[in-house]
Amino acid sequence: MTKEELAAQLCCIEYGARIPGELIVAAQSSGLVILCGASDDLMEFYGARREEIGCYGGGTAFVDVDGVLPDRDCLDGDEEIAEYVHRQKSAKPIEALWCQEDGYSWTYKTDIPHATFHVLEDDAPYCRGIVFALADLA
């Protein structure tokens, strides 16, 4: 499955509904990651990588082929810091934008090749999610 095919299947999913399990499994087997917003403070990653990042009012997550980098402020010890510094050299940023585009609570900005899909809340736009391939981060 390609990122475009998966995004098309996710299009117009209703906020609050879970992403169907079969689409998460398809994303996992295809090396794809689904990113969408939740509430007013979360970036949620599903598929080939699962993570939840706090980003109240917006924020930035860094991703590489191994997934989402941890919050640097939460690292404990020289080994964790060294691994973070090593990974960040090749990591790509994804910026979560809170209420920056008319009609959307969440949108994302990144140079990672991706496809987009719309999450609706009561038939109105809530989030423009993205789907990207881990292979594009190598």
Side-chain angles (χ1 to χ4, degrees):
M1 174 177 288
T2 67
K3 59 186 171 281
E4 292 81 9
E5 291 168 336
L6 180 56
Q9 291 186 44
L10 289 165
C11 196
C12 300
I13 191 168
E14 186 69 25
Y15 175 71
R18 295 202 177 269
I19 295 173
E22 64 272 9
L23 293 181
I24 292 174
V25 170
Q28 289 169 335
S29 65
S30 300
L32 300 174
V33 179
I34 302 162
L35 170 59
C36 54
S39 187
D40 63 352
D41 64 347
L42 294 175
M43 294 173 78
E44 293 195 339
F45 296 81
Y46 298 93
R49 299 291 182 265
R50 174 71 179 113
E51 189 64 60
E52 188 176 275
I53 302 293
C55 60
Y56 181 78
T60 302
F62 292 91
V63 295
D64 66 6
V65 293
D66 293 321
V68 180
L69 274 66
D71 183 344
R72 183 160 164 60
D73 295 335
C74 296
L75 299 178
D76 187 33
D78 292 342
E79 288 181 25
E80 286 184 355
I81 292 170
E83 180 181 353
Y84 177 90
V85 169
H86 174 74
R87 286 180 64 194
Q88 190 174 33
K89 291 176 184 176
S90 64
K92 304 289 185 195
I94 301 175
E95 186 178 2
L97 305 170
W98 173 251
C99 295
Q100 296 293 309
E101 290 189 35
D102 287 341
Y104 290 94
S105 293
W106 288 113
T107 54
Y108 301 96
K109 180 180 175 185
T110 185
D111 290 336
I112 301 168
H114 61 277
T116 62
F117 64 96
H118 302 282
V119 178
L120 304 178
E121 184 175 36
D122 299 326
D123 294 323
Y126 169 72
C127 171
R128 186 181 323 114
I130 67 172
V131 178
F132 62 92
L134 289 176
D136 288 334
L137 298 171

